[in-house]
Amino acid sequence: MPFSPRAQLARAPLCALLVVATAPMAAAQRSATRSTEARAAEAQSALVSAPVSDIIYDVAFDPAAGAARRVKVSMSFATPGAAPVILSLPAWTPGAYEISYFSKWVSAFAVTGDGKPLAWDKTDHDTWRIRPEGAKAINVSFTYTADSLDNAMAWARRDFLLFNGTNLFLYPEGRGFDFGAAVRVHTAPDWLVATGMAPAGPAASQADRLVRAAAPKSAAPPPRVSSSTFSYSASSYHDLVDMPFFVGRFDLDSARIADRWVRFASYPAGSVSGAQRKEVWDQLAKVIPPQVAVFGEAPWTTYTVMQIVDSSYGGASGLEHANSHVDVVSPYAIGDPFMPSLYAHEIFHSWNVKRLRPAELWPYQYAAEQPTPWLWVSEGITDYYADLAQIRGGVVDSAAFLALTADKIQEVASAPPVALEDASLSTWAHPTDGTATLYYPKGSLAGLLLDISIRDASDNRRSLDDVMRGLYRDTYKAGRGFTPDEWWRAVSAAAGGKSFTDFNARYVDGRDPYPWTTMLPLAGLRLAADTIREPAELGISAVPDDKGAYLVTATQPGSVAESAGVRTGDFMISIGDIAVADPQFGEKFRTRFSGKEGSALPIRVRRGGELLTLNGQVRMRERYQTRIVPDASGGSKALRIRAGILRGAVDK
């Protein structure tokens, strides 16, 4: 997601040739040890709350709360006796594989019963014990600080709020997660609410009007509603916390795609408008139908793309949910070729990981980390299908698809060897050796290898699509996660009984290099390598500001930037008269200065109140580039396999 620690996907930062855009590293501030988690889980297992019913969560947010970056939250419920009610907040958000401890943002915690104050204490860092004293109707209230610009967090501005249910919604300990609840959002009369949660009461008709009123592919905001309270309901806690909310002023429109309503909510208003918004709709209309075709159904009646554009964010990231996803992106990501890949990745998650998922993640638990060695399937193969959705939907052509795959091969080859299972398990620790998120590209490539293997063994009559569709039917629809045996049995069955024991030992549990020279020809492809001579990187780390410049946070010793006199704290404006904010900066820079080693390289910076032009010099570097190209010598079977992968088809 990126690349943030989530599914956030970017394989290289925007403007990567010269500028490394560094995303906020909230994960480092939220790290926790496994031993701490184990102790917390053990302590929680001994706690069982008194039963509660008639649960209603109220969330209040208006301009004053936005200015303070605070949210008022309350939970009301009934309990039958005097036994303690024990309530907890989650420690993490599924999809964001990191412990966050949302209780750290809670303040002004208070409890009343039948209108009178009740006693309470804490049993641990994110659990509260309440003594009802015979009260039947109990209300818990607190203030939540919404100041974290992160897909899994809560973030507020004067006119806007993002929150996830994991941030705000307490649950009764030891009672399971199959309880229903209502949510009421109280906000300014002319503000909107967007969420995948089912509207209830008057809000149901309001939400229906909002979905249908906005013209498809239009940036015009939908009509405002007069009510300041929006009501929703969820049948389980899992649904309750899997449907994030936008509240405030933002653009919202909708279109019918694959016979379903798809909504696009973007903040701030006007951040994605005109031709750019039309392009987003065109991309969504192209990538969703091929994904529906893989599984044979869309698992949602509506899907909501929720996007925040903010100049303080470096790069682009997404976090998946059952019928929505939240993107946080830099303004410079808008219109970038990476964006349809991000949309496709997060939308495919609504099948793969939100529904079809490893047994270790079924059901979700919220008090502690939930590691699995199968993120290479949940995230990596999702990334493979994001690329397939683009080629099958017509967003990119075959050359671009092969280029995306070659980039992943090069990325994996440049990283330390790591087993896919190990990388999946290690993500919770955020390793610093370059393998923290390698299960994305390496898992994607494993998906390609499995697809080729299945098609080759079945004479192109079966594919990885059959594996995904079959497991979706046999495990998710049976209400459980898949086991390792079920995964490999499904792969083997699709391949006509071919064994994948060796594949698993060498390429999933092992660290052997992938066998491209023997596997690609089976799909009418081959590897080609070139040595590219091109302008060297400038050698800085930087983050964007809101004026189209990049704040320099570090310079590399001996780099072009250091030699030219670029300092930490400078704001980069242009390099060689090419604006650093230009989405096509890298391509333009390479074209302008290719073959011009030693020529002048003017670097425009803002330093304090001055605009300075520093005198740099173009340097050249050699880069080894891997390409995937069609293999003209491939036989008819290989050509059928290649066409089948690109089109999403099999031979009958």
Side-chain angles (χ1 to χ4, degrees):
M1 300 170 201
F3 220 178
S4 82
R6 290 175 290 292
Q8 304 109 293
L9 294 185
R11 288 174 287 277
L14 300 174
C15 303
L17 180 67
L18 295 178
V19 179
V20 178
T22 54
M25 295 300 293
Q29 301 169 6
R30 303 193 297 268
S31 62
T33 65
R34 182 181 299 273
S35 60
T36 299
E37 293 310 313
R39 288 195 300 271
E42 183 179 17
Q44 292 296 95
S45 67
L47 298 174
V48 177
S49 172
V52 299
S53 61
D54 304 324
I55 299 172
I56 301 174
Y57 299 93
D58 287 275
V59 178
F61 181 77
D62 58 18
R69 308 187 79 172
R70 301 287 189 270
V71 185
K72 296 290 187 182
V73 184
S74 68
M75 176 187 182
S76 59
F77 55 88
T79 187
V85 172
I86 302 170
L87 303 176
S88 294
L89 265 184
W92 69 295
T93 297
Y97 304 108
E98 57 190 6
I99 294 297
S100 300
Y101 291 133
F102 299 117
S103 60
K104 74 173 68 174
W105 288 283
V106 171
S107 61
F109 191 90
V111 186
T112 60
D114 296 339
K116 300 177 181 178
L118 290 180
W120 60 271
D121 63 353
K122 296 194 74 170
T123 65
D124 62 29
H125 49 277
D126 54 14
T127 303
W128 291 261
R129 177 168 48 204
I130 298 161
R131 293 174 172 79
E133 298 178 3
K136 302 303 181 185
I138 296 178
N139 182 272
V140 175
S141 64
F142 58 87
T143 299
Y144 193 91
T145 300
D147 64 353
S148 302
L149 181 55
D150 185 295
N151 320 68
M153 301 294 186
W155 182 73
R157 284 292 181 266
R158 187 179 295 273
D159 62 347
F160 178 78
L161 169 67
L162 157 71
F163 73 86
N164 288 269
T166 47
N167 310 146
L168 307 185
F169 297 151
L170 295 154
Y171 63 88
E173 275 290 346
R175 290 287 171 182
F177 298 109
D178 293 329
F179 59 88
V183 176
R184 298 184 300 208
V185 178
H186 310 273
T187 190
D190 61 341
W191 283 7
L192 293 174
V193 176
T195 180
M197 196 174 294
S205 59
Q206 294 165 6
D208 185 65
R209 289 202 306 272
L210 290 177
V211 168
R212 299 170 187 274
K217 302 185 179 181
S218 166
R224 308 298 182 183
V225 295
S226 58
S227 174
S228 60
T229 298
F230 294 76
S231 299
Y232 304 88
S233 63
S235 59
S236 75
Y237 188 78
H238 295 303
D239 289 342
L240 184 76
V241 298
D242 193 37
M243 297 177 182
F245 280 74
F246 273 13
V247 182
R249 298 185 186 276
F250 50 89
D251 290 329
L252 175 65
D253 55 358
S254 60
R256 293 287 284 183
I257 300 174
D259 199 32
R260 295 289 191 271
W261 281 110
V262 178
R263 300 180 289 204
F264 182 37
S266 56
Y267 175 82
S271 58
V272 186
S273 60
Q276 291 176 331
R277 197 170 191 89
K278 183 178 183 300
E279 182 180 43
V280 170
W281 276 117
D282 181 63
Q283 292 164 351
L284 293 173
K286 289 177 176 177
V287 301
I288 292 175
Q291 298 183 336
V292 173
V294 172
F295 295 93
E297 67 176 32
W300 20 261
T301 55
T302 66
Y303 189 93
T304 307
V305 178
M306 308 168 76
Q307 184 165 291
I308 296 171
V309 182
D310 192 88
S311 59
S312 68
Y313 200 82
S317 68
L319 181 61
E320 70 275 3
H321 298 279
N323 64 355
S324 65
H325 75 262
V326 176
D327 298 324
V328 182
V329 305
S330 161
Y332 309 118
I334 304 301
D336 190 90
F338 169 69
M339 290 305 295
S341 175
L342 178 62
Y343 298 143
H345 181 102
E346 303 305 335
I347 293 169
F348 195 80
H349 269 316
S350 65
W351 290 274
N352 190 31
V353 89
K354 296 314 298 184
R355 290 172 171 85
L356 170 64
R357 64 179 185 260
E360 294 90 347
L361 292 177
W362 193 292
Y364 287 126
Q365 302 296 326
Y366 302 96
E369 61 191 16
Q370 205 167 350
T372 173
W374 288 89
L375 288 185
W376 68 274
V377 170
S378 299
E379 297 290 354
I381 287 183
T382 292
D383 206 22
Y384 174 55
Y385 275 98
D387 293 347
L388 290 179
Q390 291 187 85
I391 179 63
R392 293 174 181 178
V395 176
V396 300
D397 59 17
S398 59
F401 172 80
L402 295 178
L404 288 170
T405 305
D407 287 346
K408 293 176 182 179
I409 291 175
Q410 196 151 323
E411 181 180 356
V412 171
S414 300
V418 64
L420 279 172
E421 290 187 348
D422 294 347
S424 299
L425 288 167
S426 297
T427 192
W428 290 89
H430 304 300
T432 60
D433 64 352
T435 66
T437 53
L438 207 64
Y439 54 85
Y440 282 89
K442 193 170 184 180
S444 175
L445 296 173
L448 173 60
L449 290 175
L450 290 173
D451 207 358
I452 293 173
S453 296
I454 293 168
R455 289 175 180 271
D456 179 67
S458 67
D459 196 25
N460 203 42
R461 288 184 171 84
R462 296 288 185 271
S463 73
L464 187 60
D465 293 7
D466 292 282
V467 176
M468 304 301 288
R469 183 166 51 248
L471 284 172
Y472 177 82
R473 178 193 63 233
D474 296 340
T475 62
Y476 160 65
K477 292 208 167 183
R480 59 185 178 83
F482 66 83
T483 66
D485 284 347
E486 286 173 320
W487 170 264
W488 291 116
R489 191 160 58 241
V491 172
S492 178
K498 175 183 171 70
S499 173
F500 285 83
T501 301
D502 183 64
F503 184 98
N504 181 43
R506 297 179 63 187
Y507 308 123
V508 177
D509 190 30
R511 292 180 286 276
D512 286 8
Y514 286 165
W516 297 116
T517 56
T518 57
M519 290 298 296
L520 285 178
L522 298 177
L525 301 167
R526 65 178 176 86
L527 278 183
D530 303 302
T531 300
I532 307 297
R533 188 168 172 79
E534 64 183 8
E537 297 175 351
L538 196 65
I540 64 171
S541 296
V543 293
D545 70 357
D546 57 0
K547 299 182 177 64
Y550 274 76
L551 171 64
V552 177
T553 58
T555 60
Q556 297 174 7
S559 64
V560 173
E562 185 188 59
S563 298
V566 176
R567 302 176 186 171
T568 299
D570 286 348
F571 286 87
M572 305 289 299
I573 298 172
S574 64
I575 302 166
D577 298 326
I578 306 169
V580 296
D582 190 327
Q584 305 301 316
F585 173 84
E587 180 180 344
K588 290 181 179 179
F589 181 83
R590 285 189 293 269
T591 301
R592 178 84 60 85
F593 294 101
S594 181
K596 295 184 179 179
E597 185 166 14
S599 62
L601 181 66
I603 301 171
R604 189 82 165 158
V605 304
R606 186 172 73 246
R607 182 178 295 167
E610 294 185 87
L611 289 176
L612 305 175
T613 299
L614 306 178
N615 298 316
Q617 205 173 51
V618 176
R619 297 180 189 173
M620 304 298 289
R621 67 166 185 174
E622 288 188 350
R623 177 170 59 85
Y624 183 77
Q625 176 176 286
T626 298
R627 292 182 295 122
I628 300 177
V629 298
D631 185 1
S633 65
S636 62
K637 178 180 176 181
L639 297 181
R640 286 188 287 112
I641 289 174
R642 185 175 75 203
I645 291 172
L646 299 181
R647 294 201 309 263
V650 293
D651 298 331
K652 301 300 183 183

